[in-house]
Structures are given as structure tokens and as C-alpha cells.
Amino acid sequence: MRAVFNRKRRYMFLDQDLFDYLEDKVEWNNKLHPNGKLNLKLDVVVFLVDLITIKQGLERSKTNKGFAKICAKILKQYHHNYNTHIDFLLKNRVLKRKPYDAKKGKCFAYKLVWKPPFKKKWAQRKMKAYTPQDFTFAKRINNDELKAKDFANGRCRHLTKWLDSDINIAYEDSLQYLDHEEMNGNQKYQRRHAIERIHQGYWVYSRNGKDDRLHSNLVNLPSDLRQFITYKGQILCSLDFKSSQPFILAGILNLCVNGSYDLLDSLIEMISDRKLAESLSSTLAVMIPKISETPMNTDIRAFINLVVTGDIYNYLGQQYSIEFLSTITTKNGTIVDRFFDESIDKKVDKQFDDLRGYSKVVMLEYLYCSPKSNEKRLNEVRRILPDCINKFVDLMKGENKADFPILLQNIEAALFLDTLTKELSEKYQDMFMATIHDSIVVPINYQTEVHEFMRKRTFEIFEIVPEVKYEIWGKNISLVA
């Protein structure tokens, strides 16, 4: 039976066996330490396990091996004595921890590693819905959650209004799926946690990060579970841009070469972070006078055409030199290269099925990296791309290499959250709609209308037409519209 939760209370979800284990251990600990620093709060212990589980669900990098970064200042804002509670969870082998920022030593990465004392199928395991018993602690975490929701509601109510208990997950089918799929225990626990939150109708969301994106249960949901999601029995599909961030870069450059300065001004106004908006404005002031010159103009148009009508990731794979390809290892038919893993502060091997998949990661690394990086694969990308593109990207990064990718994410958020979905909500007022970053989720019977609108409206903003992909959630099929 589906539970109906009071939205003013903060609920945590964890395996019932794990809860019983923690409750018992906390009780024994507090008999030994009835007062003082070593005395524990069950509220805090359960909250930390739930928080780390959620953060692990957000961690998409396979190289981090399930560890998720949580900075000390975040934990401290919830409880001054969080360290004692973390030590308790480490000692009882519920969590593993390792340094995340090894140089500064301020952050750790955590992973839930608890294993039940006896094996039980996932379809038979029960989850505990727990709410804090301490009034002050409950009020603090409730207020934080409500504040985040209120802020998101104020900015994109047309989306957050749909995040409620009418979104259904095929509960029994999804649990049976966990029992039959090959995954490690940690991956299955993350999915079990995500399934329960949706099944119980407990929705959280926020839009207060640097990326300006809307985060929700759906964003955190592993993609393989989308096949079990419906809205009031309607099959859903998601529509997104092919190569979203390179497309946005191409769109900015296209407005420059077309001399569409009114549209550029409108684009700058869309960016909520005024510092990033000013950075883009300053970069354009330097680049626009040069763009009209040949051969820069020709090179930029060729790059735009490649992104819009071709496949930039395939193109990179085809243009790698023989010398560069000889530096990439192949193993059992896969491509292997070493990438930096922040969680352990060193490089680790990462495998790819083909050059396109490899190039996609390398292209994103190029957009995110320092202009001074001497990484061989990044130098290879810089060799392949026109110099004017490299100059524009380097100039946008300025003194902080993170500014440019965050700018692209801000433009993406403004485009999808504040323009496309907002106008769609006015056009189709009864249509369910959600977002997953650069993806719009709607009932499948609206797929054609939304697809056409996305292409038409984006053309009015960038003067180029995106290629829109769609995925039918109920059938787990990925197609190109």
C-alpha cells in the first residue's frame, strides 16, 4: 500500500535490517557512554546513512567506484558532533571513507558498504521510513529541505508542480529486476533506495547549485530504472539534444558569425549568474571583431556545421593521428586510457567500447580542463579543432577553468527550465512534464509536438536546429527523432 507523507516532515529511508542493526548498536554505545561527546543520536546516524546513500546515487563516475564526496562544512551544518557519528559508522563497517581532496584534506568521499548478516532477495527486503525524533534536529533538516523546495518553486513552478505521488514506479517489477540483474550490492542498494522514495511518494527537489539545474528524484534515478516509471498510467519518453554542450557552444558562435547581436544580448540576459554573464559578454567583445575575418570565419562555420549536421565525437575519432592512437592501449577489444580520479588523487585506467565513446569523454574533458594542460589527448583535440575555437574556449575560462563548463550548464538550464518547458507548459497546460538536465520528459503521445517545438524554438534562440534524440522509458529503447 502506498504511503502518503506529510510534506513538512523530512523522511529518511534505509534497509529495515540495517536500521535494526544501527538502533541496537547505538543503544549499546549509549549504555557505555550515557553522556558526553561519545553519546550518539540515532537521528544523526540514520540521517548520515540516508544522506550518503543519496549522494552516492548522484555519483555517475565509474572511476570513483561508488564513493561520493561530502565536505565537512556540509556535515557540520547539520550536527556539530558529526565526526563521532561518522567514526561510529566506520567502526561498525557500515561506511568506508577515503580522502577526496588529498591536497587540502577538507573533504572525504564516503561509500555505504554494510552487508546484511543473511542473504535475502531484494523483492523480500523491507525499507524503513524514518523521521527524526529530536525536535530541534528535525526542524533544522526540514527547514533546509523546505527552503530548497520554495526556491525551486519560485523559479520553475511549472515543473515542480508535477513532482508528486502521481508519478508511479512499477514496484514489484522493479524489485524483481534487481534480483535478476548482475550488479554489485552497492549498486543494487542505491536502486532499492531510489525505488522506495518514489514508491512512497516522497519527492525532494532543489535548484540552488552553481549549475542552476533542477535536481529531483528523477534526476538521481539510475537510467535503467526509467523503464518502470509512468505518470497516471501514461508511458513517458524523454527528449534531449545530441551533444548538448558542444551544441550550445556552436550556437553562441553561430550568433557571432551571423551578427545577431540582439539574440546574443537576449542569451546573456538568460544567464542567472551575473558574473558568468559578464564573463561571456567580455569574451564576445574580444572575439566578435576578429570573427568577421577570414579564415577564422570559415573555420567557425565549419565547426558549427560539424556539430549540427555531423557527429563531433565520431569526427574526433577519425582525425586522431597514428602517433596519438599508438599511445592508447587496447584491451580485449576495448580502448583503455588513464584519467585523473579525484577521489584518490591519481590517474586510473578507464575502458571504452569504441573511439566515439572515448572521444565524448575527451571532448568534455577539453571543455572542463585548464588551458595550460599538457595532457596528450587534450593537445590532440586542440590540434584537430580550429585555433579560433581553442582561443574562444581558453578566453572563456579566464582565471578559473570551471567558469566555462558552469556557463554552458547555466545556459542549458535557462534554455530548458526557463524557456522551453515554461512555454510548453503554457501551450499544453494538462501535459505532465519533468526535466533531467538537457532532457524533457513528457507522455509519449506528446512526443511529436514537443520534438517539433524544441527544434523550432531553439532555432529562434541560436539560429541553428538541434538534433533531438528520444528514449521511450517503458520500452528502454533509444532512438533519434
Side-chain angles (χ1 to χ4, degrees), residues 292-311:
S292 60
E293 302 173 3
T294 304
M296 182 178 286
N297 188 284
T298 304
D299 287 344
I300 289 178
R301 289 188 184 278
F303 174 78
I304 295 168
N305 185 63
L306 171 63
V307 173
V308 175
T309 64
D311 187 321

Side-chain angles (χ1 to χ4, degrees), residues 105-299:
K106 293 182 179 180
C107 290
F108 285 97
Y110 298 90
K111 182 178 182 179
L112 186 66
V113 293
W114 174 82
K115 292 181 181 180
F118 50 89
K119 289 189 176 181
K120 189 186 293 184
K121 287 187 176 181
W122 289 90
Q124 297 172 339
R125 290 170 74 163
K126 303 298 181 184
M127 294 292 282
K128 170 78 173 178
Y130 179 86
T131 187
Q133 304 303 300
D134 181 88
F135 175 80
T136 303
F137 183 68
K139 184 178 179 181
R140 183 182 303 132
I141 61 176
N142 286 343
N143 286 345
D144 285 349
E145 185 171 296
L146 289 172
K147 193 181 297 182
K149 284 185 173 181
D150 287 343
F151 184 75
N153 289 337
R155 299 193 61 195
C156 50
R157 178 64 183 165
H158 61 284
L159 290 168
T160 59
K161 70 179 183 179
W162 299 104
L163 297 175
D164 59 27
S165 57
D166 286 323
I167 300 174
N168 297 291
I169 188 162
Y171 191 61
E172 298 299 334
D173 289 346
S174 59
L175 295 184
Q176 291 289 341
Y177 168 80
L178 291 186
D179 281 330
H180 292 92
E181 282 297 300
E182 289 189 12
M183 300 178 202
N184 63 43
N186 191 268
Q187 291 171 323
K188 290 194 175 186
Y189 189 85
Q190 298 303 315
R191 284 159 174 77
R192 183 68 182 85
H193 188 268
I195 289 168
E196 196 67 26
R197 288 163 72 88
I198 295 177
H199 174 64
Q200 298 280 19
Y202 186 76
W203 287 86
V204 292
Y205 51 85
S206 64
R207 192 186 175 185
N208 48 15
K210 287 184 178 180
D211 58 12
D212 203 31
R213 290 166 161 174
L214 177 63
H215 295 269
S216 71
N217 301 44
L218 285 180
V219 175
N220 302 353
L221 187 71
S223 59
D224 59 307
L225 294 181
R226 293 174 185 171
Q227 59 186 302
F228 302 107
I229 299 290
T230 56
Y231 180 78
K232 289 186 175 180
Q234 301 175 77
I235 294 177
L236 303 176
C237 70
S238 53
L239 300 96
D240 65 295
F241 290 175
K242 179 182 177 182
S243 310
S244 176
Q245 294 195 9
F247 175 84
I248 291 172
L249 172 59
I252 296 170
L253 293 169
N254 190 61
L255 297 180
C256 293
V257 296
N258 289 351
S260 302
Y261 305 128
D262 288 345
L263 289 178
L264 276 173
D265 288 341
S266 297
L267 185 66
I268 292 169
E269 284 298 315
M270 288 169 61
I271 303 168
S272 60
D273 188 320
R274 299 323 300 165
K275 181 183 176 183
L276 292 174
E278 290 169 8
S279 176
L280 176 59
S281 183
S282 299
T283 300
L284 294 176
V286 174
M287 292 296 296
I288 285 173
K290 301 178 181 179
I291 282 174
S292 60
E293 302 173 3
T294 304
M296 182 178 286
N297 188 284
T298 304
D299 287 344

Side-chain angles (χ1 to χ4, degrees), residues 420-476:
L420 297 178
T421 55
K422 191 169 186 178
E423 293 176 14
L424 278 167
S425 71
E426 294 167 357
K427 191 176 178 70
Y428 305 105
Q429 296 183 13
D430 297 326
M431 179 182 71
F432 166 81
M433 188 163 45
T435 56
I436 300 176
H437 300 331
D438 66 338
S439 175
I440 300 176
V441 183
V442 296
I444 194 170
N445 54 308
Y446 284 96
Q447 182 268 325
T448 301
E449 292 88 344
V450 173
H451 165 252
E452 291 176 355
F453 179 85
M454 289 173 70
R455 286 167 55 86
K456 179 178 179 294
R457 189 67 182 92
T458 305
F459 175 76
E460 293 171 354
I461 295 170
F462 290 117
E463 295 184 333
I464 53 176
V465 180
E467 184 175 356
V468 179
K469 303 180 297 177
Y470 71 88
E471 176 190 343
I472 302 172
W473 283 21
K475 295 182 181 179
N476 205 23

